[in-house]
């Protein structure tokens, strides 16, 4: 659909990817998709694809049921867990770690840090704001970023952030281990069809055969016109970038 | 009233908010309002609304009885407590934490930090000034912000700030627990009328039925003219911003 | 007198101050005045006023007996004590702490820090210079301010500064407690006359009735001409600024 | 071949190198080559040369079997090991350490640091991102680079990086000790022929005589035209720069 | 003499100094002079004056016997001791500490720091250079000054610097206590004549009566012409600046 | 020779140096020369002079036997030892420390630091790169120099650097003590002839009489033409600058 093109980026079908990479990407995205589907407070997974888009080798897209203005602690934890699911799937299924999860870790860490320092969601740090950027009113002079708190506080924040991410990693690893069948089926479906929509994802999760593909539809003008009204913020979680070690 | 429009921002009635968000905002603002009303040294709550204004989903506005030129320690503590009341109400009534209290925490922390570092209101730190910004006379070069004291002092300041905010959190949580009926009534009234004025707030607190609404009055010219004379500094406490996790 | 206008700033009689603020300011300035009068090495208090001037709600002005080119350790300690006296008077008389003493703390801390880091007046730190600003020869690049000494040294400096200010606080608190009658009389006299000159201050301290007020004299040309010769550096201690919590 | 000229830089045959330097370079590059050949997850060594190119005295070039979009943990560890092999060969064969391995250490350290801080490949640090550069959106004001984590975290990262590199050093040292014959043969072959291609390298490793040299072929136009299609990213590992102590 | 005018600054005889200040300055400069005369490796004291010059209330000037191109450890220690002698004299004779010694401390500390960090004169720190400014090649960007060594090293440097200055303080205090008579005579002579030359200083030290004053001589042209040849670097030690507490 | 003029700077025979300075410089340069001659991995000393050149009072020049492209650990240690030999000679022969060795210490420290942080020559720090300057790609914004490692690592580096320099100091002190006769002869020869060439240096070391001086030869054109071919990098070790304490 045209909307997906806008949200997910244009496909780069010309890009040559070898089979090993493709397989790895399929398991990685299958991890995000299965976990995103299973976690109770996560937004539903709307689409998943292993066709390269921009710098990403694959993408899993979730879409909130309705416009959201605030986020709960449960949502944040599930979202961290979902971000870690790609790496976990690769580890469990292929027994290897790759550089492809770097962006997932960045997102998970950033979210956990916001929970601790901005949203008062860590018991240890309490309902305080630990601001790193308050003084950034000067557009061209951000100033030292850690002026507001001591090294000891910085250390406690690090421990809390580490603790939150580690707990979600353990929780989601258990979850994936309990759903290896569905994970395998999802990866298989992705290798077959390259892109799965919500209906197909649900079918895989339910152990149903994949529904037959409809023909590609050219979006009609009426559909395009609707686009303006339908601007729910979708979450392009974990585009899997073509990470190249900077040392090479 | 026209003055409120100036102080609170223009309402954004076109913004679509789902029922869950609206309910959450009602409990959040009810928390601020009930606690602001109960705390002995807080300025009276003048108005509360769950109609979005600018980036805020709701707003509780208090107004000092008369122009104020200095602030007491008791006032500062109550104000910190009032800032934390939105989160406390959400937790106690809905059993969840959301990102919506981030700005409240920023204000509470900032106030507690000023008590400790500028106003000599912490016994441990004593009647000293712990200046972070003294050297900022250069408009485009603020310089490192923590040049005036050691890491150990920074750590003690952090502990005092944490201690002040935590104590107010505990105190206000008890207060809210003791007034769950009034909190529920206030949230209910907000969901019904969306905006409550001082008279309506007092009625809810006293367990009285809400006074009937007068028609909306177009402010007459005479009223506008009075505006210039009536410039007491109102406190738009805890506008509840439409916080979006920066990681999404 | 015209000289006072230059030294203390123009009065802002149009500013409306409520009675509570006025009372608080009277006790605050009375604290500075009584202590400034009693401390043996402090410059004599020349004038005290609770008429707002610029951002200050009140002002106590002392004037050295003659031009001074260096300062003794005793003078510095008394001056720190005098700076703390405003807060102490408020605490003892009204049982409350306000934000109004922020500038006093800044001055006391700054003076204590100079004693320790520049003037060799701390036994522990010895006759050394602990320079924070030596490298600031570049007008637009002050550089990190603490390049000259280690964190451990910074910590020792902090402890000495804290110790000096705390000792003066304790000493002056005792002094004020022993002179509560004179403090009360001074506050009362200030509420009556709003401004007291040296003669009136001495009368209050001696338990004498206030001398009758002379009429306001327009300074004659001859007096203005003398102004150029009479430039002893007066100390406008503790202008009490209209401090507004930055969080509101 | 023309492609190699592009990848490896133009030879500087005019540069005079004494025999001791040449011998040392031969052992150094032989170390890289033998280890790069033996480590199971390393890209095959495509060519090795001790003819100076740009600032490098020698160069070992490896080329992945096919285009690679992500990298595994095993690959990263082998690559670190391969980078260290030059120094190890010099130590074992010549009993001396030289400045020539400085760039190898830089690459190995950088890679190990990325494993720990970006790719979630350290158990101790977990699947988190430890970002040093996030705030660098301002092109001319990178700001302090370590704003995101505490000193304690920085210390743990250092320990993990040190541990990764040290383990690879020990592993590769053992590997080289077990293949001293092949190392010697490779160094000898390099001193004879100065440049070895993949076929020759394999012959040395297999204990076979060096295949006879073909004549130098002028690349035909057809070959040049193919160049555009053949852009696999080759790894010019460990160019051995002409390091000059900056103190001289 | 005209040379002295160049070296010491023009006298400011118009400046009014009260008797107490004058007395204090006399003792202060007498301390420098007596100690500078007694310490075996110090340059001879050439002149001492309590007539204000520029910002200084007094000045003691020493002149090396011949051009000096390097300095010994003994010279550096004596010079630190001489710098501290002004404060010591004030303390012993008048029983008070003043702000007037701030510049002396700056010089003593700076010299001790150079001994430790640049000249290899501390056994503990060894013959190393602890550079704070090496990177300052960019005229407008000095960069953080402490990039070259760790906090622990910075702490050790501080301890060594503190130790050097403290030992000299103790040594010179003993020296002054053993020469209180000469100190008193020197102060008295200064109060009488305001300026003493080398001959007069020696007379005071030897307990001789002050030689009678010659008339002031207008320097002849021949004398002025000699000025160019006589450029030994004199040391204007311890100009006693009119220090004003920056908090006033 | 003309080449020496280029390498060592033009002599400043007009500069007046007193006998004590001259003697001290002779011993200092004799220290460098004797030790440079004795240390097995040091480049041969080509010339030594106590005629001031630019800011240096003396200079010892060594020249590698042939062009060098890399440096061994042994060479680096000897070079550090040679740099320290000037101070050691002054201490042993004259019993005093002077400021004249500051630049030697800078060079020794810099070299030891490179061994530890760049060249993997410290067992404790291992074959890693501890980069301080990696981010310096911005010509006008070098950024904080220590972003790459923790305080604990910085401390370990400092200890290793201190240990390397201290060991060389002890080693070279022993060496000089064992060759005091040669040191004395070298100093004496320098005081006599002011400049010694390689032949003369060897004669002194061998206890032979100084070869008779040839007349000064004007370099012929043929000699000048050869200059372009003879560009081995000579090491102007330890120019002894006319260090002036910055506090004077």
């Amino acid at each position: 659909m045209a909307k997906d093109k806008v949200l997910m980026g244009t496909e780069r079908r010309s890009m040559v990817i070898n089979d090993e990479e493709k397989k790895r990407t399929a398991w990685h995205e299958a991890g995000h998709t299965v976990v995103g589907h299973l976690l109770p407070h996560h937004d539903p997974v709307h689409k998943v694809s292993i066709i390269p888009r921009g710098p990403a080798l694959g993408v899993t897209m979730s879409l909130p049921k309705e416009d959201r203005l605030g986020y709960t602690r449960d949502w944040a934890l599930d979202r961290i867990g979902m971000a870690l699911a790609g790496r976990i799937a690769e580890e469990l299924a292929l027994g290897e770690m790759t550089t492809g999860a770097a962006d997932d870790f960045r997102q998970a860490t950033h979210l956990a840090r916001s929970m601790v320092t901005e949203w008062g969601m860590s018991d240890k740090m309490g309902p305080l704001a630990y601001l790193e950027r308050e003084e950034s009113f000067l557009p061209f002079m951000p100033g030292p970023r850690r002026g507001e708190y001591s090294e000891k506080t910085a250390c406690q924040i690090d421990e809390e952030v580490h603790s939150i991410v580690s707990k979600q990693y353990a929780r989601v690893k258990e979850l994936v281990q309990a759903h290896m069948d569905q994970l395998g089926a999802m990866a298989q479906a992705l290798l077959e069809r390259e892109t799965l929509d919500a209906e197909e994802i649900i079918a895989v999760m339910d152990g149903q055969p994949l529904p037959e593909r409809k023909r590609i539809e050219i979006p009609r003008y009426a559909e395009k016109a609707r686009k303006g009204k339908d601007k729910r913020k979708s979450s392009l979680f974990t585009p899997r970038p073509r990470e190249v070690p900077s040392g090479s």
Side-chain angles (χ1 to χ4, degrees), chain A:
Chain A
M1 281 170 286
K3 188 183 66 175
D4 288 343
K5 195 161 131 192
V6 171
L7 290 173
M8 299 168 73
T10 314
E11 298 180 354
R12 285 169 53 200
R13 294 196 172 270
S14 64
M15 190 174 168
V16 183
I17 301 172
N18 68 53
D19 285 350
E20 201 187 332
E21 287 289 346
K22 203 169 170 179
K23 189 178 137 196
R24 206 188 280 154
T25 304
W27 283 99
H28 185 102
E29 299 303 328
H32 287 309
T33 303
V34 168
V35 167
H37 185 88
L38 291 171
L39 288 174
H41 302 93
H42 201 277
D43 301 322
V45 180
H46 171 71
K47 203 163 196 172
V48 55
S49 167
I50 59 171
I51 301 167
R53 277 172 168 82
L57 294 187
V59 63
T60 304
M61 191 174 83
S62 59
L63 209 58
K65 278 171 227 148
E66 42 191 332
D67 251 4
R68 212 183 266 270
L69 301 169
Y71 296 87
T72 66
R73 188 170 182 274
D74 289 332
W75 176 88
L77 292 175
D78 279 6
R79 202 158 166 98
I80 290 169
M82 198 270 207
L84 302 172
R87 159 63 65 89
I88 288 168
E90 283 190 67
E91 262 193 296
L92 291 178
L94 308 174
E96 68 183 26
M97 288 181 185
T98 68
T99 54
D103 199 55
D104 298 343
F105 300 151
R106 250 190 302 268
Q107 294 192 37
T109 306
H110 189 90
L111 217 45
R113 189 165 290 274
S114 290
M115 290 176 70
V116 173
T117 61
E118 292 179 60
W119 303 333
M121 291 180 181
S122 142
D123 282 348
K124 197 173 170 188
M125 301 314 295
L128 285 88
Y130 298 90
L131 302 172
E132 303 180 293
R133 260 155 298 196
E134 207 191 17
E135 222 59 13
S136 62
F137 51 88
L138 287 164
F140 54 91
M141 268 309 288
R145 286 184 56 217
R146 211 172 74 215
E148 200 64 45
Y149 48 80
S150 66
E151 163 63 21
K152 192 180 164 191
T153 300
C155 180
Q156 290 172 334
I157 290 171
D158 279 5
E159 281 169 9
E160 285 294 278
V161 171
H162 189 275
S163 163
I164 287 173
V165 175
S166 297
K167 273 182 198 156
Q168 292 314 308
Y169 192 84
R171 180 172 75 115
V172 168
K173 195 167 181 180
E174 258 184 54
L175 188 72
V176 175
Q177 279 169 323
H179 294 83
M180 286 305 284
D181 289 354
Q182 284 153 311
L183 181 72
M186 193 70 75
Q188 198 52 45
L190 269 169
L191 286 169
E192 270 172 42
R193 296 205 171 174
E194 292 194 319
T195 297
L196 302 174
D197 61 19
E199 193 190 353
E200 291 167 317
I201 290 165
I202 289 166
V204 173
M205 291 306 292
D206 292 347
Q208 301 300 321
L210 283 176
E212 224 171 308
R213 273 277 162 97
K214 295 162 205 156
R215 305 188 157 215
I216 294 158
E217 291 173 45
I218 313 295
R220 284 160 308 168
Y221 181 74
E223 226 171 82
K224 285 191 174 173
R226 256 204 323 263
K227 223 169 57 186
K229 294 170 188 165
D230 192 2
K231 292 192 298 193
R232 275 179 292 153
K233 186 161 203 252
S234 77
S235 314
L236 277 174
F237 228 100
T238 34
R240 195 159 163 275
R242 176 178 172 172
E243 182 101 357
V244 178
S246 45
S248 63

